Amino acid sequence: MSLSFCVVGAGFSGAVIARHLAEQGYKVTLVDERSHIGGNCHTERDAETGIMVHRYGPHIFHTSDQRVWDYVRRFGTFHPYINRVKAISQGSVYSLPVNLLTINQFFRTVMGPKEAREFIAGKADKSIVDPQSFEEQALSMIGPELYHAFFHGYTRKQWGLDPKELPASILKRLPLRFNYDDNYFNHTYQGMPEEGYTSIIQNILNVDGIEIRTSCSFEEIDEKFSHVFYTGPIDRYFKFELGRLGYRTLDFERFTVDGDYQGTAVINYCDEQVPFTRISEHKHFAPWEQNKFSKTVCFREYSRLSEKKDVPYYPIRQVNEKRMLNSYIELAQQQKGISFLGRLGTYRYLDMDVTINEALMACDQIDSALKTSPSN
Ligand code: FAD
Ligand code: UDP
């Protein structure tokens, strides 16, 4: 009997796996309950303005992984794109991540790199040697003033938790620079796909042997498969029998104006009194075509605790949730014929490049497993 596979989820994780299996000559059924492919990276033309919008929030491709960078560029052209975020705090506009411009503007100084480094070191709390929480990480890295101006309120809005209750790792994602480099990321390769992410994923899936079923949930399927690659939420697969893993969801408030609204792609609103976290103006994600449009479309982004029917965005991963996750992983390991992958299948925050790298590594493992499979 020939092997047949089901891949659940048409985001980057599912697409990379489905293509690989099809290229090896297997029949693949790819299902996604949404009406479109692309997962959370889905992009589409806004019906009113014609601008390419990132439906589930702004996505910038950044990686230092040569294999991943070579892989994605097989499926579309990437334009150079550097994420330069602005932040509004207490009535002033600053540059993020915290860099020399931010420091000099905030403290009304004209320091050079060495002086600024010493100045910030003087602000940092030296009693914190091994920061565990977000707050400890911030206080030991940048001191109280910058922490309160840029991170305390924003983080409370974004996570619905006090930064004392969040892990240091969330802040460690962001650089701190003592020069005027305002690139949000440190990665070697950074870009934006010319035709959007959905086009890249469409091209990944453009190979014989993949049947794509959108608007179809895994739960609706009654065929049997040799193996299932499941990139949906791990707790949902087990019908939440051990409880529900917590996520933050996002609400996007769309609005359009004539011309240019904010002059840049992303502005963060760091004050807690402002109910949204940021505004994204999507034409600025595609600078090569931004002058084509007379109207501009923006999204205010609000974060809240995810409920049953909401899209799960950010895994919260508090201590009790990590415990629950481990119990789900134990359950998963007892299952035969199914693998859990991707950001929802593993309940981790994964950037796109990490997602793709993990899917490519899973393909390597699939090859070794198939070589030793008795059905082959
Ligand atoms: P997903 O894209 O979530 O795909 C999973 C798919 O599975 C979904 O389409 C879902 O509908 C489907 N599904 C789930 N359960 C079922 C089921 N039972 N039956 C059928 N279908 C099902 N990364 C970056 O590198 N750069 C960025 O700038 C960036 N920005 C981000 C901004 C936001 C707001 C968020 C939340 C994430 C961001 N990311 C970014 C991360 C990026 O979104 C992920 O890396 C990527 O989406 C992971 O792909 P995936 O295939 O694992 O999951
Ligand atoms: N953060 C903040 N203020 C900002 C930007 C980020 O407090 O202006 C915090 C927030 O807790 C966020 C974390 O830093 O979750 C990581 O920032 P990043 O920009 O990576 O967030 P994401 O892209 O995941 O929304």
Side-chain angles (χ1 to χ4, degrees), residues 98-119:
V98 174
N99 63 69
L100 199 47
L101 186 63
T102 327
I103 296 167
N104 275 329
Q105 282 184 334
F106 186 81
F107 292 104
R108 295 176 177 277
T109 49
V110 286
M111 293 180 283
K114 185 167 177 288
E115 209 184 339
R117 192 182 288 275
E118 286 164 6
F119 178 78

Side-chain angles (χ1 to χ4, degrees), residues 30-84:
L30 174 67
V31 297
D32 200 302
E33 64 186 351
R34 289 170 168 166
S35 60
H36 57 77
I37 61 165
N40 264 20
C41 306
H42 177 53
T43 46
E44 63 191 352
R45 293 269 170 205
D46 179 64
E48 181 190 350
T49 61
I51 292 165
M52 187 66 84
V53 294
H54 302 197
R55 162 101 75 94
Y56 302 94
H59 278 71
I60 295 103
F61 202 91
H62 51 99
T63 189
S64 295
D65 186 324
Q66 189 70 47
R67 184 187 187 194
V68 168
W69 186 233
D70 291 343
Y71 183 85
V72 290
R73 285 180 308 144
R74 283 167 53 199
F75 304 105
T77 302
F78 277 73
H79 286 276
Y81 184 89
I82 301 294
N83 193 27
R84 301 184 198 281

Side-chain angles (χ1 to χ4, degrees), residues 8-14 31-34 36 38-41 56-62 185 197 216-219 230-233 236 250 252 278 301 312-314 341-344 349-353 355:
V8 182
F12 268 115
S13 303
V31 297
D32 200 302
E33 64 186 351
R34 289 170 168 166
H36 57 77
N40 264 20
C41 306
Y56 302 94
H59 278 71
I60 295 103
F61 202 91
H62 51 99
F185 306 113
Y197 293 100
C216 174
S217 77
F218 179 57
E219 290 80 357
Y230 185 90
T231 76
R236 172 171 163 187
L250 300 174
F252 294 99
R278 57 185 176 183
E301 203 170 310
Y313 282 90
Y314 294 95
L341 302 122
R343 63 178 201 98
L344 299 168
Y349 181 92
L350 300 178
D351 277 322
M352 289 180 276
D353 64 326
T355 305

Side-chain angles (χ1 to χ4, degrees), residues 96 134 150-151 154-155 159 170 173-174 184 268 270 314:
L96 279 187
F134 186 110
F150 296 111
F151 297 102
Y154 187 101
T155 296
W159 294 98
I170 297 180
R173 292 214 288 264
L174 298 188
Y184 207 71
N268 289 358
C270 298
Y314 294 95

Side-chain angles (χ1 to χ4, degrees), residues 63-307:
T63 189
S64 295
D65 186 324
Q66 189 70 47
R67 184 187 187 194
V68 168
W69 186 233
D70 291 343
Y71 183 85
V72 290
R73 285 180 308 144
R74 283 167 53 199
F75 304 105
T77 302
F78 277 73
H79 286 276
Y81 184 89
I82 301 294
N83 193 27
R84 301 184 198 281
V85 175
K86 301 290 174 279
I88 296 183
S89 172
Q90 296 150 31
S92 295
V93 185
Y94 299 96
S95 155
L96 279 187
V98 174
N99 63 69
L100 199 47
L101 186 63
T102 327
I103 296 167
N104 275 329
Q105 282 184 334
F106 186 81
F107 292 104
R108 295 176 177 277
T109 49
V110 286
M111 293 180 283
K114 185 167 177 288
E115 209 184 339
R117 192 182 288 275
E118 286 164 6
F119 178 78
I120 294 297
K123 300 266 173 205
D125 187 337
K126 291 174 205 62
S127 70
I128 306 168
V129 276
D130 181 19
Q132 295 299 312
S133 69
F134 186 110
E135 179 162 294
E136 286 178 351
Q137 176 67 25
L139 291 174
S140 64
M141 191 167 100
I142 50 173
E145 294 95 336
L146 292 172
Y147 166 53
H148 283 284
F150 296 111
F151 297 102
H152 183 262
Y154 187 101
T155 296
R156 282 171 59 92
K157 290 192 287 187
Q158 170 77 359
W159 294 98
L161 290 167
D162 194 273
K164 286 189 182 74
E165 300 172 79
L166 288 162
S169 56
I170 297 180
L171 185 59
K172 285 185 189 160
R173 292 214 288 264
L174 298 188
L176 162 65
R177 299 208 188 93
F178 296 100
N179 56 31
Y180 288 98
D181 179 1
D182 60 353
N183 185 341
Y184 207 71
F185 306 113
N186 283 325
H187 290 108
T188 315
Y189 307 113
Q190 303 182 26
M192 197 61 83
E194 183 169 277
E195 297 297 333
Y197 293 100
T198 299
S199 157
I200 300 278
I201 290 176
Q202 178 77 64
N203 291 338
I204 294 175
L205 293 172
N206 188 14
V207 54
D208 285 346
I210 304 176
E211 185 204 341
I212 302 172
R213 293 186 206 163
T214 47
S215 304
C216 174
S217 77
F218 179 57
E219 290 80 357
E220 287 168 57
I221 290 200
D222 47 22
E223 293 122 277
K224 292 277 167 276
F225 297 94
S226 317
H227 199 93
V228 174
F229 295 92
Y230 185 90
T231 76
I234 187 168
D235 53 351
R236 172 171 163 187
Y237 177 82
F238 293 105
K239 302 193 169 50
F240 306 106
E241 65 178 77
L242 304 175
R244 202 171 270 277
L245 293 165
Y247 278 94
R248 299 293 289 175
T249 194
L250 300 174
D251 295 316
F252 294 99
E253 191 176 80
R254 178 187 174 281
F255 63 96
T256 58
V257 296
D258 289 334
D260 204 355
Y261 177 70
Q262 59 184 17
T264 192
V266 179
I267 299 189
N268 289 358
Y269 286 76
C270 298
D271 300 328
E272 208 172 342
Q273 311 84 273
V274 179
F276 47 89
T277 51
R278 57 185 176 183
I279 298 181
S280 303
E281 183 171 0
H282 285 234
K283 72 172 182 178
H284 293 297
F285 290 123
W288 59 92
E289 62 174 30
Q290 61 176 282
N291 295 329
K292 275 180 24 192
F293 309 105
S294 57
K295 282 202 132 183
T296 189
V297 60
C298 301
F299 293 84
R300 286 190 195 92
E301 203 170 310
Y302 298 81
S303 171
R304 65 178 166 80
L305 193 62
S306 177
E307 289 172 21

